[in-house]
Amino acid sequence: MSETYHRRDILQMGTAAGVGLAAGALGSTPPARKMIRVGFVGCGGRSQDLIPVLLALPGVKILALCDIDEAHLARAQDTVVKAGQPKPEGYSRGETDYRRLCDRSDLDLVINATPWQYHAAIALAAMNAGKDTATEVPAAVTIEECWQLVETSEKTGKRCIILENACYLRESLLIMNLIQKGVLGEPLYAEAGYLHDLRAVKFNTVPIGEPWRLDHTIRRNGNLYPTHAMGPVAWWLDINRGDRLDHLVSMSTKSRSMKEFAVKTFGPSDARSNTTYAQGDVNTTLLYTEMGREIILHFNTSTPQVKEGLLRVQCTKGTFNSHMDEIFVEGRSNRSDSPDWLDHDYAEPTAEYRKQYDPKLWQRMEKQTGVGSHDGIDYMELYRLIKCLQEGREPDIDVYDAASWSAISQLSENSVANRSRPIDVPDFTRGRWKTRPRLDVDAID
Ligand SMILES: NC(=O)c1ccc[n+]([C@@H]2O[C@H](COP(=O)([O-])OP(=O)(O)OC[C@H]3O[C@@H](n4cnc5c(N)ncnc54)[C@H](O)[C@@H]3O)[C@@H](O)[C@H]2O)c1
């Protein structure tokens, strides 16, 4: 019995206490507040996308910033001052100085855009200090950390949101709308991936002594960055809200591309050319859900490739494929006068569906998305988070999503390391996935 199974079983044995505690915590919605006072930890690359969006949103003040690198901290302080807000207090006294920031009494929300290994610790510190928290992806690296997030959120009643911007892709919300309006029928199978050549980023952004991204590629082998793909799919399939992830199997190819890139870039005698990279170049993870659906997640940040935004779903009435920009809806796309039933080339272009089923959020907010990067989804994710907190509503994404989407990384590593053996996905909701209401696409506005 693996450690994962064991821990879940122990926790499920204690469901009476666990559920009671959780229901209490979830029963209280956040208080409505006109102003959300933010502390921001990790002022590196990602902060330069997120801080300008926060500064553009009405009713947000950034009061505190934290980074171990004083130059990064000063740059972020400068950005805030240039936007007309007072200079936020800086925290840069080392790796755990985020604790002092979390302990301030004047913050509502702690946002965290640090390297992966700090995400859970910072989120835990924030919740334990009485703040809601939003963390960059993934929310945690290990299953143990995922459980800690869930237990701490339940215990403190504070929210732990994973900042999964891919959920707000217009394309993804369109698919969600097509499913929820009954056009495509019930989803049976979904496929998505994070396919992005990050070799240069992994080798060049940080000096070789402390390469946080590279370090994961050296030590680990699985789907290390699952949430950009899992988030959208989870929304289509009502994961944790009517269905849940049950088990997965995962397989990685051998590792070739990192070493080849290093030899070509730094020469054969460089240490990076003589390092062993555990992460296989191409990882594929197959998940099965409690309600009998299937999900394929692709992960590859090591090979030469074009960045792909693959989103594909097969439902009982039809299929949508973002790559082909085509949709097939039985009875609507196929011509009844077709001379040859073997001619399966019935797919329709998506233009009409895009007009009719354009998600509300994008119809209303498209003009504002000029602020921020990633084609507007950074704006959308923070707009939604801040709006929900201001209005005293639960944000779109919660700690159960943060835990179950992030857990795929360690679970896939366990499967890869064991000849692709099936691995159970813990039920972080402890059974409440059965009764938690579906996230209504029209309520994401
Ligand atoms: N959602 C997206 O589209 C997206 C895009 C890029 C990055 N990210 C995520 O954002 C996070 C940050 O990535 P990045 O590209 O900004 O990395 P980065 O290395 O550019 O920045 C990280 C920053 O955190 C600081 N830091 C490190 N340890 C710290 C600590 N203990 N306390 C305070 N500050 C600390 C570093 O000095 C640096 O300024 C990662 O989790 C990454 O996966 C998400």
Side-chain angles (χ1 to χ4, degrees):
M1 182 185 279
S2 74
E3 207 179 305
T4 305
Y5 293 104
H6 186 56
R7 180 164 171 79
R8 184 191 64 171
D9 289 348
I10 289 172
L11 286 161
Q12 283 188 336
M13 278 187 258
T15 42
V19 168
L21 188 65
L26 292 175
S28 60
T29 46
R33 290 160 280 194
K34 276 197 184 127
M35 182 62 65
I36 304 297
R37 299 161 302 172
V38 174
F40 197 105
V41 187
C43 305
R46 183 64 179 142
S47 79
Q48 293 173 72
D49 300 331
L50 299 179
I51 289 178
V53 175
L54 288 168
L55 293 168
L57 290 170
V60 177
K61 268 192 197 147
I62 300 179
L63 299 185
L65 292 168
C66 171
D67 200 296
I68 49 173
D69 182 319
E70 286 185 3
H72 290 186
L73 177 65
R75 180 184 57 198
Q77 284 173 317
D78 199 38
T79 304
V80 177
V81 170
K82 282 192 177 128
Q85 294 196 12
K87 184 175 171 183
E89 191 166 348
Y91 295 82
S92 58
R93 293 189 205 154
E95 254 193 342
T96 55
D97 207 26
Y98 59 80
R99 291 184 192 148
R100 282 198 309 129
L101 177 145
C102 292
D103 284 342
R104 286 174 69 114
S105 59
D106 57 355
L107 299 179
D108 304 301
L109 175 68
V110 174
I111 300 183
N112 164 14
T114 55
W116 304 343
Q117 64 266 33
Y118 299 106
H119 288 182
I122 296 170
L124 293 172
M127 288 188 281
N128 281 323
K131 278 82 183 175
D132 290 329
T133 189
T135 176
E136 259 306 336
V137 296
V141 175
T142 66
I143 303 299
E144 182 60 35
E145 287 176 347
C146 290
W147 276 115
Q148 285 173 6
L149 293 179
V150 168
E151 287 161 3
T152 305
S153 178
E154 290 176 346
K155 186 182 76 191
T156 59
K158 292 297 154 189
R159 281 139 204 92
C160 177
I161 296 108
I162 182 169
L163 286 171
E164 189 35 84
N165 50 356
C167 289
Y168 296 92
L169 286 162
R170 190 175 212 150
E171 189 85 345
S172 175
L173 291 172
L174 168 74
I175 294 172
M176 190 174 173
N177 207 12
L178 287 163
I179 291 170
Q180 293 197 0
K181 297 291 170 356
V183 179
L184 289 173
E186 187 198 337
L188 299 168
Y189 165 84
E191 186 177 348
Y194 186 68
L195 302 162
H196 190 185
D197 177 2
L198 292 180
R199 288 171 301 165
V201 174
K202 287 194 271 191
F203 279 117
N204 296 339
T205 50
V206 272
I208 187 100
E210 280 185 355
W212 72 265
R213 281 191 177 84
L214 191 61
D215 182 53
H216 289 277
T217 305
I218 292 171
R219 288 187 295 107
R220 303 170 61 200
N221 186 10
N223 184 335
L224 306 189
Y225 209 50
T227 70
H228 283 331
M230 190 60 232
V233 169
W235 279 14
W236 308 340
L237 269 57
D238 302 323
I239 298 299
N240 298 328
R241 297 162 181 279
D243 198 355
R244 75 169 197 90
L245 303 175
D246 183 75
H247 67 274
L248 63 76
V249 294
S250 186
M251 189 180 286
S252 293
T253 66
K254 64 183 171 183
S255 169
R256 284 273 314 267
S257 301
M258 293 296 289
K259 201 170 251 192
E260 282 185 12
F261 183 90
V263 170
K264 206 169 63 190
T265 311
F266 311 115
S269 55
D270 188 276
R272 289 162 284 192
S273 306
N274 295 291
T275 298
T276 300
Y277 298 93
Q279 178 64 46
D281 287 359
V282 178
N283 174 272
T284 311
T285 301
L286 183 60
L287 295 109
Y288 193 72
T289 77
E290 182 88 29
M291 301 303 284
R293 283 94 167 251
E294 193 181 303
I295 301 164
I296 290 188
L297 302 182
H298 303 279
F299 172 69
N300 171 2
T301 58
S302 299
T303 65
Q305 63 187 303
V306 178
K307 189 177 181 187
E308 274 184 66
L310 171 65
L311 297 175
R312 186 172 165 216
V313 69
Q314 174 66 59
C315 304
T316 50
K317 289 193 199 167
T319 183
F320 187 101
N321 183 328
S322 62
H323 267 189
M324 293 164 71
D325 197 21
E326 283 181 340
I327 184 169
F328 176 81
V329 179
E330 192 162 59
R332 180 163 165 175
S333 309
N334 40 344
R335 306 183 312 264
S336 55
D337 62 343
S338 175
D340 180 2
W341 68 270
L342 283 173
D343 174 12
H344 288 295
D345 194 15
Y346 294 139
E348 291 179 84
T350 57
E352 275 311 308
Y353 292 85
R354 286 180 191 281
K355 263 190 236 154
Q356 197 178 341
Y357 296 98
D358 196 23
K360 259 192 184 173
L361 178 68
W362 277 88
Q363 288 175 38
R364 261 186 6 88
M365 298 303 298
E366 183 176 7
K367 284 204 184 76
Q368 277 84 337
T369 59
V371 189
S373 50
H374 294 107
D375 297 326
I377 56 177
D378 291 343
Y379 183 90
M380 294 301 196
E381 69 168 349
L382 290 175
Y383 164 76
R384 280 295 302 161
L385 170 62
I386 296 296
K387 183 178 175 188
C388 288
L389 293 178
Q390 285 171 337
E391 293 179 358
R393 289 195 277 145
E394 290 298 337
D396 304 329
I397 302 176
D398 64 18
V399 72
Y400 303 112
D401 302 321
S404 60
W405 305 352
S406 303
I408 292 166
S409 53
Q410 196 198 330
L411 299 172
S412 66
E413 289 178 76
N414 293 352
S415 181
V416 168
N418 286 286
R419 302 187 75 248
S420 308
R421 270 216 336 242
I423 306 285
D424 278 5
V425 181
D427 175 10
F428 292 102
T429 73
R430 297 191 194 98
R432 279 178 302 116
W433 61 271
K434 293 175 196 161
T435 49
R436 281 159 47 87
R438 157 184 266 186
L439 184 63
D440 178 359
V441 66
D442 289 332
I444 304 172
D445 62 357

